[in-house]
């Protein structure tokens, strides 16, 4: 059983190995392609990606850190509502928000038309939202919850207590925030920014729809337009290197998120109260927390609902309900199968690690699986197709190409590479809450390993397993880059259809699948907010 698990984990590492292995065949042709890219498109891709990443990093750090400090360290009207409402933009994928804002803010949109009628102005009133600044704004609004969540947790651990101690010692509010709260939240800020940047660099929907020249869009252009697999692999390896650096930064920052306190300190933390704000300060805190929720979730949701209603009323064929049912069924199938397989693999790996089996080999397998979420979907797609092309060239009798690209097997494989780490983290968190003495007691009573898992671990891990399955399910529903390349014919998902319709400027038809993606994404967000309120 352990050998089978190890083999599965090694298979999950094939896409990354496939991308990196492309450099082993650095012959004259590959070197010429690399030199050509370096002289033409690679500097533009790298510069655009770097500028996008730096801008998003600054934006999510400021917005996420400021909102986290506001709801953690201060008290103002509506604070308890904002604590969970600030998570709502996590349910809005950036590419879906891009469709909504493009329709709302474009020259022919209702807002500009109304403003021109009122003011008598002519011509566009602002620049096109489909630009690099527009993409930065969308990513900041949709990804700041990563920073908010981690920073809020760090500040709640010790922030209120230390701020109160500093107040007793005579420090002013600004000094307390600058010298106490900011250093305390710095590791959480770094970890949240790294997570947001991973999502930004992995994105394809916004970059393609806005016409940006980023590394991710360059990978797809090289593969699908130029039909150059070596160029795509080289660009994918550059993107993988950037993401690996961000992952190292995130792990290093997470390692610093460790706080210890005595029992008396814990009681003191429970009794400490945030600083009460009044007047203009309270109004500023309310505006600070309300704007991200309004711009990152409410307005895009309203715009999508409006598009859907207009399409239903005035569209030539109305809402495509029959096709929508087919798209939804395909998405549900893929998400359900992937969630079950990912949770099963995570349970097996976590149980083997709990029992101390496998030694260094198992630890390596765990690391391979846990790193999958950091690998962009574009890199996974290229990493699957590169080895597949080599096998098709040298062993066509195996028929692997028809299995991987002609069925949903390739998609399921890509989803497991990408999202098994999500399930593993949730299951490992569940195991951390089970005391080792439970296992020792059961073994002393003569329980076998199989019965120990079946009778004790499985019931105790039920909630963690359900949460893991839900997270993987939602991530698969929203996944676009890998699905766009690896899907077989007549297997379009909601994410792919929404992207294709928006790309063809059929935003009214794209509203229905986009809304479905948002509604599905709301489920884990609401569960997380409920857990936060209970705590």
């Amino acid at each position: 059983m352990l050998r089978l698990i190890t083999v599965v984990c090694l298979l999950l590492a094939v896409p990354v190995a496939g991308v990196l292995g492309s450099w082993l065949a650095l012959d004259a042709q590959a070197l010429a392609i690399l030199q050509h890219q370096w002289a033409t498109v690679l500097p533009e891709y790298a510069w655009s990606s770097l500028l996008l990443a730096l801008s998003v990093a600054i934006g999510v750090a400021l917005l996420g850190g400021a909102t986290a400090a506001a709801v953690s360290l201060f008290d103002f009207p509506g604070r308890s509502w904002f604590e969970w409402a600030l998570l709502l933009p996590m349910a809005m994928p950036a590419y879906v928000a891009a469709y909504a804002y493009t329709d709302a803010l474009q020259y022919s949109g209702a807002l500009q038309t109304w403003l021109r009628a009122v003011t008598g102005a002519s011509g566009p009133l602002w620049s096109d939202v489909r630009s690099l600044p527009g993409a930065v704004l969308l990513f900041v609004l949709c990804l700041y919850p990563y920073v908010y969540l981690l920073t809020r947790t760090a500040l709640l651990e010790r922030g209120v207590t230390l701020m109160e101690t500093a107040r007793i010692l005579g420090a002013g509010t600004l000094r307390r925030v600058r010298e106490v709260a900011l250093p305390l939240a710095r590791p959480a800020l770094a970890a949240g920014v790294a997570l947001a940047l991973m999502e930004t660099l992995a994105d394809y929907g916004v970059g393609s729809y806005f016409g940006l020249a980023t590394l991710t869009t360059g990978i797809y252009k090289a593969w699908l337009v130029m039909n150059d697999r070596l160029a795509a692999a080289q660009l994918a390896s550059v993107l993988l290197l950037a993401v690996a650096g961000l992952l190292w930064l995130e792990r290093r920052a997470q390692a610093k998120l460790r706080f210890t306190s005595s029992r008396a300190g814990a009681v003191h933390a429970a009794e400490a109260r945030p600083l009460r704000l009044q007047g203009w300060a309270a109004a500023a805190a309310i505006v600070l927390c309300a704007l991200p929720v309004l711009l990152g979730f409410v307005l895009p949701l309203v715009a999508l609902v409006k598009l859907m209603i207009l399409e239903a009323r005035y569209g030539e064929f109305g809402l495509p309900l029959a096709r929508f049912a087919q798209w939804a069924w395909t998405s549900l199938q893929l998400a359900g199968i992937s969630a079950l397989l990912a949770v099963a693999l995570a349970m097996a790996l976590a149980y083997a690690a709990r029992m101390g089996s496998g030694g260094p080999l198992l630890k390596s397998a765990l690391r391979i699986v846990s790193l999958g979420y950091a690998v962009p979907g574009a890199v996974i797609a290229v990493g699957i197709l590169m080895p597949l092309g080599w096998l098709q060239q040298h062993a066509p009798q195996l028929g692997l190409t028809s299995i991987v690209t002609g069925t949903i097997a390739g998609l399921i494989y890509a989803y497991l590479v990408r999202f098994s780490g999500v399930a593993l983290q949730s299951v490992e968190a569940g195991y951390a809450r089970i005391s080792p003495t439970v296992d020792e007691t059961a073994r002393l009573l003569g329980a076998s390993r199989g019965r120990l898992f079946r009778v004790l671990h499985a019931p105790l891990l039920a909630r963690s397993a359900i949460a893991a399955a839900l997270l993987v399910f939602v991530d698969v529903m929203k996944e676009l880059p890998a699905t766009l390349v690896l899907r077989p014919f007549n297997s379009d998902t909601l994410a792919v259809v929404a992207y294709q319709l928006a790309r063809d400027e059929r935003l009214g038809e794209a509203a229905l699948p986009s809304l479905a993606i948002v509604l599905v994404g709301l489920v884990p967000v609401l569960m997380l907010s409920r857990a936060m309120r209970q705590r």
Side-chain angles (χ1 to χ4, degrees):
M1 182 64 179
L2 184 60
R3 291 181 180 178
L4 177 61
I5 295 174
T6 305
V7 169
V8 172
C9 293
L10 291 176
L11 286 176
L12 296 182
V14 167
V16 174
V19 170
L20 297 179
S22 63
W23 291 96
L24 298 177
L26 192 61
D27 52 12
Q29 179 186 2
L31 188 60
I33 293 173
L34 180 61
Q35 291 173 343
H36 176 70
Q37 290 195 99
W38 181 262
T40 54
V41 296
L42 188 56
E44 182 183 7
Y45 291 157
W47 172 247
S48 297
S49 299
L50 179 62
L51 188 59
L52 178 65
L54 289 176
S55 303
V56 171
I58 295 172
V60 296
L62 292 176
L63 186 58
T67 52
V71 301
S72 302
L73 305 178
F74 304 99
D75 189 16
F76 52 90
R79 170 178 172 265
S80 59
W81 184 82
F82 284 122
E83 278 187 317
W84 66 267
L86 283 164
L87 294 173
L88 289 175
M90 290 185 75
M92 182 70 64
Y95 61 85
V96 172
Y99 309 153
Y101 272 110
T102 297
D103 178 76
L105 300 179
Q106 63 185 347
Y107 175 79
S108 58
L111 181 59
Q112 282 211 51
T113 302
W114 177 75
L115 288 175
R116 285 196 300 270
V118 171
T119 61
S122 60
L125 301 180
W126 48 72
S127 58
D128 191 1
V129 68
R130 285 188 282 192
S131 60
L132 184 62
V136 169
L137 180 62
L138 286 176
F139 282 125
V140 169
L141 290 173
C142 293
L143 299 178
Y144 81 87
Y146 287 104
V147 178
Y148 163 76
L149 189 60
L150 292 177
T151 306
R152 175 184 176 274
T153 302
L155 291 176
L156 286 178
E157 290 283 344
R158 299 288 299 278
V160 177
T161 306
L162 295 178
M163 288 279 285
E164 183 178 350
T165 304
R167 181 185 63 81
I168 294 173
L169 293 175
T173 302
L174 292 178
R175 186 181 178 189
R176 278 179 274 156
V177 172
R178 184 178 66 252
E179 298 184 8
V180 177
L182 186 58
L184 187 68
R186 192 177 294 125
L189 280 170
V193 168
L195 289 173
L197 290 184
M198 287 184 206
E199 294 289 338
T200 301
L201 292 177
D203 173 81
Y204 174 73
V206 175
S208 176
Y209 186 58
F210 280 13
L212 304 181
T214 63
L215 287 171
T216 306
T217 57
I219 292 171
Y220 282 86
K221 183 177 180 180
W223 188 279
L224 300 177
V225 179
M226 300 170 60
N227 196 27
D228 194 331
R229 60 186 182 89
L230 285 177
Q234 291 169 358
L235 291 174
S237 61
V238 174
L239 179 59
L240 185 61
L241 183 63
V243 172
L246 291 173
L247 182 63
W248 174 81
L249 175 64
E250 188 267 341
R251 292 294 173 87
R252 183 179 178 185
Q254 287 281 10
K256 296 181 180 180
L257 293 176
R258 302 289 188 270
F259 304 101
T260 59
S261 61
S262 63
R263 183 180 299 273
V267 174
H268 187 202
E271 294 176 350
R273 293 290 179 267
L275 178 65
R276 181 73 180 178
L277 297 179
Q278 296 179 349
W280 287 105
I286 293 173
V287 172
L288 172 65
C289 296
L291 279 179
V293 180
L294 183 66
L295 297 177
F297 181 77
V298 177
L299 290 184
L301 184 65
V302 171
L304 290 174
V305 171
K306 175 197 166 189
L307 280 171
M308 186 183 67
I309 294 174
L310 291 177
E311 183 67 20
R313 287 185 178 179
Y314 306 112
E316 184 177 358
F317 303 104
L319 292 178
L321 295 180
R323 289 185 296 160
F324 172 77
Q326 181 181 357
W327 303 330
W329 175 242
T330 301
S331 299
L332 291 173
Q333 276 185 312
L334 291 171
I337 295 172
S338 302
L340 290 176
L341 292 177
V343 171
L345 177 61
M347 294 281 280
L349 279 171
Y351 175 71
R354 174 85 170 192
M355 294 293 101
S357 306
L361 188 62
L362 180 63
K363 291 182 179 180
S364 300
L366 285 169
R367 179 161 303 201
I368 289 172
V369 173
S370 63
L371 295 181
Y373 189 70
V375 183
V379 175
I380 292 174
V382 173
I384 291 175
L385 294 176
M386 286 286 291
L388 191 64
W390 184 87
L391 285 174
Q392 178 65 21
Q393 182 179 359
H394 293 84
Q397 68 277 7
L398 296 177
L400 289 178
T401 302
S402 59
I403 296 175
V404 174
T405 61
T407 67
I408 63 172
L411 276 178
I412 299 296
Y413 175 48
Y415 295 149
L416 289 178
V417 173
R418 182 94 161 87
F419 302 121
S420 291
V422 178
L424 181 61
Q425 288 181 358
S426 181
V427 174
E428 285 181 331
Y431 261 123
R433 293 190 293 268
I434 302 176
S435 174
T437 58
V438 174
D439 299 0
E440 296 170 2
T441 303
R443 297 299 296 273
L444 287 174
L445 294 174
S448 63
R449 288 193 173 189
R451 189 180 180 194
L452 175 64
F453 177 80
R454 187 176 64 255
V455 177
L456 285 179
H457 290 181
L460 293 173
L461 291 173
R463 294 182 63 182
S464 297
I466 292 173
L470 181 61
L471 290 173
V472 175
F473 185 91
V474 173
D475 281 334
V476 172
M477 290 284 288
K478 296 191 294 186
E479 170 62 29
L480 176 62
T483 311
L484 200 60
V485 174
L486 296 173
R487 74 193 191 282
F489 289 109
N490 202 28
S491 296
D492 288 337
T493 64
L494 291 172
V496 170
V497 168
Y499 165 76
Q500 290 177 332
L501 292 174
R503 182 189 59 187
D504 296 338
E505 297 300 330
R506 298 157 64 185
L507 293 174
E509 296 177 63
L512 182 58
S514 299
L515 275 173
I517 295 172
V518 174
L519 292 178
V520 171
L522 269 177
V523 177
V525 172
L526 294 178
M527 290 179 61
L528 180 59
S529 65
R530 179 184 177 187
M532 290 171 58
R533 292 197 300 271
Q534 288 176 346
R535 289 185 61 187

